[in-house]
Amino acid sequence: MIRLHETGREWVYGVLVVVALASLFVFPASRVIEDPIQRRKYKTLQLISLVFAILGAKLAVLAGDRGWPVVPLASPWLWLESGRSITGGLILGHVAAEIAKPIVGFHLPPNDHFAAKLPFSIAIGRLGCLFAGCCRGIPHEGWLSVRYDDEISRYPAPLFEIVFQLAVGFFFIWLVRRRALSGRVFALYLVMYGAFRFATEFLRETPKHALGISVYQYLSVLMIVIGAFGLAVRSRSRTTHIPSPELGGRAGVGGLAS
């Protein structure tokens, strides 16, 4: 049994989310682009993807936790007060980047280096969820249960995801170093995370209305479809790049959420 006190520790979540985002910029993916013009375009894509990822993360929480737009918001300020969902952020951030690529004029393959770093960043954010008491699991009594100040034993849902993200992160580093699935690692991540999230959502304390599943599970299915489509298209077109054996080596890259 894991005992955690979340009262007065809400700030931990905010701090770790900032650390998680900052970790993506410690070793910026843009550094592997040799052409300065393409590097500037890539940074523009990063900004576009980030803005829409934040928007998607907010929309997903409002729909998944509060039933919006079916249920009207009690206050417009809930847009700011609501949390963030990785599912919505990944989907809208990725779609926005893909749409923006031809507009910006960026045609290099997707960024496997970013895809290999992303799971570690998400794991840091989930650590904040674990300590702050959000994204809780359903009641469960067991040796691996977690108990917060409400004295209810639960599945440690954030802990399950931390383990998943770390395992995927190391697996992706291995893929990049072996030059495997070039240009398709992020698409693979969408499929893997979508399947993981759909399965573990049954263990999470989220509203489940339509057909007994949550909005996040519908988003997980959408994520799997988008990822599978990306894998199929890029495998068929074989629009790949030549990465270096090391994760930080030089290679062609694509958008932030590609």
Side-chain angles (χ1 to χ4, degrees):
M1 173 72 68
I2 304 172
R3 182 62 186 264
L4 294 173
H5 298 281
E6 82 275 13
T7 303
R9 295 184 180 179
E10 293 80 3
W11 59 270
V12 174
Y13 174 77
V15 170
L16 287 177
V17 167
V18 172
V19 172
L21 290 174
S23 69
L24 294 175
F25 298 95
V26 172
F27 301 103
S30 60
R31 70 194 179 101
V32 301
I33 305 176
E34 296 179 344
D35 185 347
I37 296 178
Q38 290 297 305
R39 188 182 302 118
R40 285 196 295 271
K41 291 181 177 179
Y42 174 75
K43 290 180 178 179
T44 300
L45 279 178
Q46 283 186 309
L47 179 60
I48 293 172
S49 184
L50 178 62
V51 170
F52 279 90
I54 293 173
L55 176 61
K58 285 288 186 180
L59 289 174
V61 166
L62 290 175
D65 288 3
R66 300 182 183 276
W68 181 87
V70 177
V71 179
L73 297 179
S75 167
W77 293 109
L78 289 177
W79 283 85
L80 297 176
E81 297 172 1
S82 65
R84 291 158 293 278
S85 168
I86 294 173
T87 54
L90 287 173
I91 292 173
L92 196 55
H94 170 67
V95 171
E98 291 298 319
I99 294 175
K101 281 181 180 179
I103 299 174
V104 175
F106 191 88
H107 304 295
L108 294 179
N111 185 359
D112 293 337
H113 296 79
F114 173 82
K117 295 191 300 181
L118 181 62
F120 294 103
S121 176
I122 294 178
I124 296 173
R126 285 303 188 201
L127 189 62
C129 294
L130 180 65
F131 287 117
C134 61
C135 305
R136 298 184 180 188
I138 60 175
H140 168 73
E141 287 283 353
W143 66 271
L144 195 55
S145 300
V146 61
R147 181 177 295 175
Y148 292 101
D149 293 343
D150 61 3
E151 298 298 331
I152 299 176
S153 298
R154 306 172 181 276
Y155 280 107
L159 182 59
F160 293 157
E161 185 159 336
I162 291 171
V163 173
F164 169 81
Q165 298 292 351
L166 292 178
V168 171
F170 285 115
F171 173 56
F172 282 179
I173 290 176
W174 179 79
L175 285 179
V176 172
R177 288 180 172 174
R178 290 181 62 87
R179 309 182 186 187
L181 291 177
S182 296
R184 291 163 285 177
V185 178
F186 185 81
L188 176 62
Y189 178 75
L190 290 179
V191 174
M192 294 178 66
Y193 182 62
F196 169 84
R197 185 61 185 270
F198 185 91
T200 57
E201 190 70 14
F202 290 109
L203 304 180
R204 294 183 56 165
E205 194 178 55
T206 49
K208 299 175 177 66
H209 302 298
L211 302 178
I213 62 177
S214 71
V215 168
Y216 303 109
Q217 286 171 300
Y218 286 106
L219 292 175
S220 297
V221 172
L222 178 59
M223 196 183 308
I224 293 171
V225 172
I226 293 174
F229 178 78
L231 281 172
V233 169
R234 285 165 184 145
S235 295
R236 184 170 61 250
S237 65
R238 301 191 65 81
T239 306
T240 59
H241 63 290
I242 304 176
S244 72
E246 299 300 326
L247 183 59
R250 295 180 180 276
V253 294
L256 173 64
S258 299

